[in-house]
């Protein structure tokens, strides 16, 4: 008999940087998960906006199996067919001409920031090194990306942070005008803040950032790690705004659950990432690329993307009904299947208390900061699973209210 791990093994063997829920899911299919006891859950967490086609989608399983029996990994000493197909497919769907493949969102952003610095360095000189990003933003956990991110708790206590980084207020162009000058290298921004609380950018804000970057010959970087690959209802969220970045990063939904990231840019900027300037052993791994290609081709279709908007409306209706009953939310917002419900003043800081109650009721959800309940389900979640999952979530919130 093989040994069955328990939650207490986590505390015994794993580094203590996470605090996972008590249940251990062992199997998933579509938008349902089952734990070690065989209890079933509806998954509105989606592996934090990663499982864009739910669990074990047949299209992804097929791509994984076929590639798994063909070729996994070569390193970048050789190129491979799935990586080339994926890069071409991303170029054809976006503003970009060139793609750098890697294995995570943080790594894609690290590449974006290094490319921006290097391009500007070569073109304008080393004094033009300032990077502007936004308070509450999240760009990953490498040391450069936590420093650019706007949540100091993630960069404190690790020694001196890289220089030249400034933080402005999200959706506030005046705060950017106060910082930007001819020594600004780049602005990095999420078209909708994810970890920062599901806050969509205003049209005026993104258009204004593009203008300011153009005025000061700075690069505009969109971090679409969370918002990209169908999550917003378009292939990338920038497509809602008609504002084109110079560099864009993708990960999460891109692999549908297989670790992969990508940085996209233009023919003008890409040459600064010359031979030897940057790299990644796993970047463009054949297995990861094959799964991502299948995910991209399946997601970027009118059926899936139009379905995202329809499902958004359904989630919103359910959340509004809960709110009519209990008044627990101050605002319900988001785009596509990245939906946030901000807690009302009476429930300030209590979003996380919903999660264990929701698990008891058989539904998995997320938070985005202490005040926002976040839902990031599969883009193809059946409507009946939305109804059932929201009924369960409503029961969890009934219990939160009873306890208060
Ligand atoms: C999740 C996330 C990242 C980091 O991605 P990892 O794959 O965890 O490195 C970066 N930016 C945004 C906007 C994210 O949501």
């Amino acid at each position: 008999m093989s040994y069955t791990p328990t939650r207490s093994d986590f505390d015994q063997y794993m580094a203590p940087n996470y605090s996972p829920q008590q249940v251990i899911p062992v199997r998933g299919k579509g938008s349902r998960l089952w734990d070690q006891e065989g209890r079933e859950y509806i998954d509105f967490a989606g592996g934090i906006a990663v499982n864009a086609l739910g669990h074990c989608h047949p299209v992804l399983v097929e791509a994984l199996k076929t590639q798994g029996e063909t070729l996994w990994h070569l390193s970048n000493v050789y190129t491979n067919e799935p990586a080339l197909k994926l890069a071409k497919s991303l170029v054809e769907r976006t503003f970009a001409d060139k793609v750098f493949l890697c294995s995570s969102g943080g790594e894609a952003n690290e590449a974006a920031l290094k490319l921006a610095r290097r391009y500007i360095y070569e073109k304008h000189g080393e004094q033009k090194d300032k990077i502007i990003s936004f308070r509450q933003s999240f760009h990953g956990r490498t040391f450069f990306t936590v420093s650019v991110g706007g949540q100091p708790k993630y960069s404190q206590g690790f020694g001196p942070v890289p220089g030249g980084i400034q933080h402005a207020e999200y959706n506030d162009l005046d705060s950017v005008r106060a910082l930007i000058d001819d020594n600004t290298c780049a602005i990095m921004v999420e078209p909708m803040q994810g970890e920062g609380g599901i806050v969509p950018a205003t049209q005026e804000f993104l258009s204004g950032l593009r203008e300011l970057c153009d005025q000061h010959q700075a690069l505009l970087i969109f971090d679409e790690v969370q918002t990209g690959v169908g999550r917003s209802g378009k292939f990338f969220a920038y497509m809602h705004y008609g504002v084109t970045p110079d560099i864009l990063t993708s990960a999460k939904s891109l692999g549908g659950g297989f670790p992969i990231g990508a940085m996209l840019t233009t023919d003008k900027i890409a040459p600064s990432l010359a031979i030897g300037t940057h790299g990644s052993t796993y970047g463009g791994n054949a297995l990861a690329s094959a799964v991502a290609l299948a995910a991209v081709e399946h997601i970027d279709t009118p059926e899936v993307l139009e379905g995202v908007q329809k499902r958004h409306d359904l989630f919103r209706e359910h959340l509004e009904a809960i709110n009519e009953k209990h008044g627990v939310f101050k605002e319900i917002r988001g785009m596509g299947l990245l939906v946030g419900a901000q807690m009302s003043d009476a429930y300030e800081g209590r979003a996380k208390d919903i999660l264990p109650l929701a698990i008891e009721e058989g539904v998995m959800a997320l938070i985005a900061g202490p005040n926002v309940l976040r839902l990031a389900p599969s883009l193809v979640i059946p409507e009946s699973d939305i109804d059932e999952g929201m009924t369960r979530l409503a029961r969890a919130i009934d219990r939160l209210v009873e306890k208060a």
Side-chain angles (χ1 to χ4, degrees):
M1 266 305 277
S2 67
Y3 129 93
T4 302
T6 63
R7 174 63 176 75
S8 62
D9 288 340
F10 180 90
D11 299 329
Q12 192 167 351
Y13 299 115
M14 303 281 274
N17 57 315
Y18 303 116
S19 160
Q21 300 288 335
Q22 292 301 316
V23 298
I24 302 182
V26 292
R27 189 164 62 85
K29 184 75 198 146
S31 285
R32 307 248 172 175
L33 282 166
W34 289 267
D35 71 12
Q36 290 174 311
E37 269 72 58
R39 280 201 62 204
E40 170 257 337
Y41 304 87
I42 292 177
D43 185 9
F44 289 164
I48 316 191
V50 166
N51 299 307
L53 294 173
H55 298 279
C56 300
H57 190 284
V59 165
L60 300 188
V61 171
E62 174 59 31
L64 183 75
K65 281 189 176 165
T66 304
Q67 191 61 39
E69 290 172 350
T70 308
L71 180 70
W72 291 19
H73 178 81
L74 288 166
S75 88
N76 289 295
V77 175
Y78 308 90
T79 189
N80 67 76
E81 291 182 357
L84 296 171
K85 286 184 189 167
L86 175 62
K88 180 169 187 277
S89 157
L90 291 171
V91 163
E92 284 171 356
R93 285 161 212 279
T94 63
F95 75 97
D97 308 306
K98 292 284 190 283
V99 178
F100 168 79
L101 294 172
C102 52
S103 307
S104 70
E107 217 190 323
N109 284 331
E110 185 81 19
L113 291 164
K114 282 180 71 181
L115 172 59
R117 278 271 179 84
R118 183 111 190 159
Y119 170 80
I120 294 288
Y121 179 93
E122 289 175 352
K123 205 156 170 160
H124 300 276
E126 65 181 334
Q127 78 294 341
K128 190 168 165 64
D129 66 356
K130 288 190 340 189
I131 289 165
I132 298 176
S133 64
F134 296 91
R135 294 209 175 84
Q136 301 307 323
S137 68
F138 183 78
H139 299 299
R141 299 292 199 135
T142 69
F143 202 47
F144 201 170
T145 58
V146 283
S147 309
V148 171
Q151 304 193 40
K153 63 177 188 221
Y154 294 136
S155 58
Q156 276 165 2
F158 296 104
V161 296
I165 297 165
Q166 300 175 314
H167 295 100
E169 291 297 329
Y170 195 72
N171 275 337
D172 178 352
L173 278 178
D174 282 337
S175 74
V176 181
R177 287 191 195 100
L179 294 176
I180 199 167
D181 61 27
D182 288 343
N183 286 333
T184 300
C185 164
I187 296 180
M188 178 174 256
V189 64
E190 299 160 85
M192 170 162 67
Q193 285 193 334
E195 301 305 307
I198 314 297
V199 186
T202 63
Q203 178 69 47
E204 182 201 6
F205 181 59
L206 286 194
S207 306
L209 292 182
R210 179 72 273 177
E211 274 172 37
L212 286 169
C213 282
D214 292 344
Q215 273 166 27
H216 294 280
Q217 295 178 296
L219 299 181
L220 183 59
I221 306 170
F222 282 173
D223 177 349
E224 292 231 31
V225 169
Q226 190 154 165
T227 54
V229 192
R231 181 63 50 191
S232 73
K234 292 200 190 275
F235 188 57
F236 280 111
Y238 81 85
M239 296 168 176
H240 289 280
Y241 293 90
V243 176
T244 306
D246 300 294
I247 301 174
L248 176 145
T249 56
S250 176
K252 293 203 165 100
S253 295
L254 179 62
F258 203 98
I260 188 166
M263 181 203 64
L264 281 59
T265 190
T266 60
D267 275 334
K268 186 173 123 193
I269 297 160
S272 294
L273 219 59
I275 293 170
T277 51
H278 194 57
S280 161
T281 298
Y282 291 121
N285 170 295
L287 196 50
S289 299
V291 176
L293 178 67
V296 164
E297 289 186 339
H298 193 77
I299 290 168
D300 193 19
T301 55
E303 301 89 87
V304 171
L305 295 182
E306 280 159 24
V308 168
Q309 191 50 50
K310 218 165 109 200
R311 288 168 174 80
H312 171 96
D313 296 341
L314 206 52
F315 274 105
R316 208 177 256 273
E317 277 169 33
H318 279 289
L319 287 166
E320 273 159 9
I322 291 173
N323 210 27
E324 261 165 45
K325 190 164 159 200
H326 292 307
V328 281
F329 304 131
K330 192 185 259 178
E331 191 186 13
I332 296 160
R333 58 187 182 234
M335 281 161 80
L337 286 173
L338 198 47
V339 178
Q342 180 166 354
M343 305 307 289
S344 60
D345 293 341
Y347 293 88
E348 173 99 33
R350 305 266 324 263
K352 71 173 186 310
D353 297 344
I354 298 171
L355 303 190
L357 295 171
I359 285 174
E360 283 175 26
E361 296 297 333
V363 59
M364 290 170 170
L366 294 169
I367 56 173
N371 285 322
V372 177
L373 177 70
R374 168 173 45 162
L375 307 177
S378 159
L379 306 184
V380 294
I381 183 172
E383 288 183 18
S384 55
D385 283 4
I386 299 178
D387 291 338
E388 174 61 25
M390 286 306 297
T391 303
R392 296 178 188 183
L393 189 62
R395 280 204 292 271
I397 291 172
D398 287 344
R399 288 172 56 196
L400 179 84
V401 171
E402 278 162 26
K403 275 191 185 175

